[in-house]
Amino acid sequence: ASRFLAELEKRDAANDARSGCDLAQREEEAARGGGTEPMACSGGPTTAAPVPDGVVQMDGVSPEEYEELEERSHIFRKYLSENLMPYLTKGMLAIYNTNPEDPIEFLADFLHNQGKIVASRAEAQAFLQFKGLVAKANTIREQEEKDAEEARKQRNSEEEQEY
């Protein structure tokens, strides 16, 4: 957690340096403002709209870029909810039910085993699809052979009638 806070402080300091603000100046302005409204370097409130709770404010991102990020994150969230969350939820429930000594290792093993199961099912499904395609191809080939044999018989019959 402290590493995360240090990274945030570095990012804020870099943003302040780019905009010509001094961290101490911003803290002083915030203390004088006393309100929850963010203060700009000039001492007045920023013109940015209030950001709802849980939403990260992204300075320097155009609305078009933001929409693209939202679309990409929606795709990513959908992928995670369909492909990871069912197994992660099962693993967390297994941890709750068994109360292992090392829950992280337990979850890692659980997810590894689930991955093997998913891979086996995918392999079995691919094999069955392959077998189905082979059977369909054989049926088509047999039908073509029957059609060709009937066409030969009909030609032979027509040739015999001509003589």
Side-chain angles (χ1 to χ4, degrees):
S2 61
R3 190 172 81 197
F4 176 71
L5 292 175
E7 287 296 321
L8 285 177
E9 288 175 4
K10 280 185 203 175
R11 190 189 71 192
D12 288 343
N15 287 340
D16 291 343
R18 271 183 292 204
S19 64
C21 290
D22 176 61
L23 184 58
Q25 178 186 2
R26 287 187 68 177
E27 288 174 351
E28 183 179 314
E29 289 174 352
R32 272 188 294 172
T36 58
E37 197 169 347
M39 303 298 284
C41 291
S42 63
T46 61
T47 57
V51 179
D53 288 340
V55 175
V56 176
Q57 186 173 5
M58 297 168 35
D59 295 332
V61 177
S62 71
E64 294 83 17
E65 291 172 322
Y66 183 78
E67 285 180 26
E68 183 178 348
L69 287 172
E70 277 294 309
E71 182 179 329
R72 285 183 182 182
S73 70
H74 174 72
I75 293 168
F76 185 64
R77 283 192 308 266
K78 181 180 179 200
Y79 172 81
L80 289 176
S81 68
E82 291 174 357
N83 296 296
L84 179 67
M85 291 309 293
Y87 304 105
L88 192 55
T89 302
K90 288 178 187 177
M92 296 300 286
L93 288 171
I95 288 172
Y96 176 77
N97 291 330
T98 59
N99 198 17
E101 191 173 309
D102 186 356
I104 301 297
E105 184 177 343
F106 181 90
L107 183 61
D109 290 341
F110 180 87
L111 292 174
H112 181 73
N113 291 335
Q114 289 297 310
K116 287 180 181 179
I117 292 169
V118 169
S120 294
R121 286 181 184 161
E123 188 177 324
Q125 185 177 11
F127 179 75
L128 291 174
Q129 285 177 339
F130 173 75
K131 292 283 277 184
L133 290 173
V134 168
K136 188 174 182 179
N138 286 337
T139 302
I140 292 170
R141 183 179 44 81
E142 289 171 0
Q143 185 62 43
E144 287 175 347
E145 288 174 356
K146 286 181 185 177
D147 292 346
E149 182 64 32
E150 286 181 23
R152 264 186 259 137
K153 285 181 182 179
Q154 188 163 355
R155 275 193 308 255
N156 288 341
S157 151
E158 290 173 0
E159 287 175 3
E160 288 177 4
Q161 287 177 359
E162 286 179 12
Y163 291 122

